[in-house]
Amino acid sequence: MKKLLLLASFCTGLLPAATWYITVAGLGGEPEYETRFRGLAAELDKAVRATPDAKVTTLTGPDSTKARLEAAIDECVKGAKADDVLVVTLIGHGTFDGADYKFNIPGPDLTAAELAAKLEFVPSRRQVVLNTTSASGASIEPLRRDYRAVITATRTGTEKNATVFGRFVVEAFRDPSADTDKNESVSALEAFQYADRKTTAFYETQKRLATEHPLLEDTGKGAGVRAPAPDNGQGLLARQLPLLRFGSLQQAAKSPAKQALLARRESLEAEIDKLKYEKAAMPADEYRKALAKLLVQLAQVQEEIDK
C-alpha cells in the first residue's frame, strides 16, 4: 500500500487525460446512406460513452451543420487541457474539386482547411481526425500537424465512391481484437490497422476492385502511408493516442490512485515506442539495455494496477 501511495504521489499531475469525442454524420443523399451514417454515429457514441472522462458530442441529421460542429470545437477550446485527447470523426460523403476537400453536411459544406483552422485553437496537443468519407485523402495536407494523427479512407481526392472504411473504424471501437498489443486500450494506430485490414478483406471477399485505400499521417509533414512503421517515421504519435479503454483498464481508470498508475504506464509505453523508432540509430547493446530497463518498470507498474 505504501508503494502504491508513493507512486500515486510521484505521478501527481500525470493523471490520465480526458478524451473529447466529436462525431459528425453528414448527408447521405439517399435513404440507405442516411440510415447507415446515422447508425454508425450512434454505434460510436455508445462505445465512447463508456470511456472514463469522456466528453461526447455526436451530431446527426439536421444537427450536423458547420455551425454545430464549430460550436462543439469551441467547447473544447474552452475546456480541454494540453494533455487531453481530441477525436474528431467524420462519417459520410466527401468531395474534392481539385482545390478543396469538402465534407457534405446540411447547409454550407465544411472544407478541410476550415476544420484545420478551428482545431488550431484547441489547447489539446493530442489530436486525431478520423475522416472516413469518400475523397478524404485530399484532406490530409490541410489537416496535418505534428501533434495530430490524420486517418483517411482514401489516398486521394479522386477516390470518390462511397467508402466502407468508416464501418470498420467504428467496429474497432467495440471489437477487443483491435487491441493487438493486449493492453486493454485501442490506439489510433490500432484502429487504423484494424479498419485497413477489414477494408482489404471486404473487397477481396466481394471480388471487387478496391476503390478506397486508407492512409495515416502523424508527422505533420507527410502525404500519408498505408503501412506506418519506424522506417518511414509514421505511426509513432498514432500509437500513443488512445481512442478508448475497456475491460479491467476501464474500471481501474475510475480509481484516483490507479489513475496515476495508468498515467505512468502510458508514459512508459510511450518511451518504449519512441525507443523502437530510434533503434536503427542506436548501438544494439545500448538499445537492449534501455528496452530491458523500461520493460521492468512497466511490469512493476502493471503489477500495481492489477492488485
Side-chain angles (χ1 to χ4, degrees), residues 110-145:
L110 177 76
T111 70
E114 289 172 331
L115 177 58
K118 287 295 294 184
L119 293 178
E120 287 294 324
F121 293 97
V122 178
S124 170
R125 298 293 88 177
R126 307 171 71 200
Q127 300 180 9
V128 184
V129 175
L130 301 169
N131 189 349
T132 71
T133 75
S134 50
S136 51
S139 70
I140 290 178
E141 185 174 352
L143 283 169
R144 65 189 180 191
R145 298 292 185 276

Side-chain angles (χ1 to χ4, degrees), residues 152-189:
T152 63
T154 76
R155 64 187 172 197
T156 66
T158 57
E159 292 187 324
K160 299 180 179 180
N161 289 10
T163 67
V164 298
F165 182 71
R167 178 199 314 176
F168 301 122
V169 166
V170 172
E171 192 175 296
F173 279 78
R174 52 183 174 78
D175 185 348
S177 72
D179 174 27
T180 55
D181 62 7
K182 304 305 176 186
N183 68 347
E184 296 189 304
S185 173
V186 176
S187 69
L189 178 63

Side-chain angles (χ1 to χ4, degrees), residues 139-242:
S139 70
I140 290 178
E141 185 174 352
L143 283 169
R144 65 189 180 191
R145 298 292 185 276
D146 60 6
Y147 53 84
R148 180 183 303 144
V150 181
I151 291 172
T152 63
T154 76
R155 64 187 172 197
T156 66
T158 57
E159 292 187 324
K160 299 180 179 180
N161 289 10
T163 67
V164 298
F165 182 71
R167 178 199 314 176
F168 301 122
V169 166
V170 172
E171 192 175 296
F173 279 78
R174 52 183 174 78
D175 185 348
S177 72
D179 174 27
T180 55
D181 62 7
K182 304 305 176 186
N183 68 347
E184 296 189 304
S185 173
V186 176
S187 69
L189 178 63
E190 287 174 322
F192 168 76
Q193 292 173 328
Y194 176 95
D196 182 42
R197 288 193 302 271
K198 290 279 189 171
T199 299
T200 299
F202 170 84
Y203 284 99
E204 291 176 348
T205 301
Q206 296 292 317
K207 300 186 185 305
R208 291 167 48 187
L209 183 66
T211 55
E212 58 195 283
H213 301 83
L215 295 179
L216 181 147
E217 205 299 309
D218 67 350
T219 67
K221 54 190 176 186
V225 297
R226 190 78 182 268
D231 62 350
N232 56 39
Q234 296 280 355
L236 178 58
L237 176 64
R239 186 186 296 274
Q240 298 172 358
L241 291 171

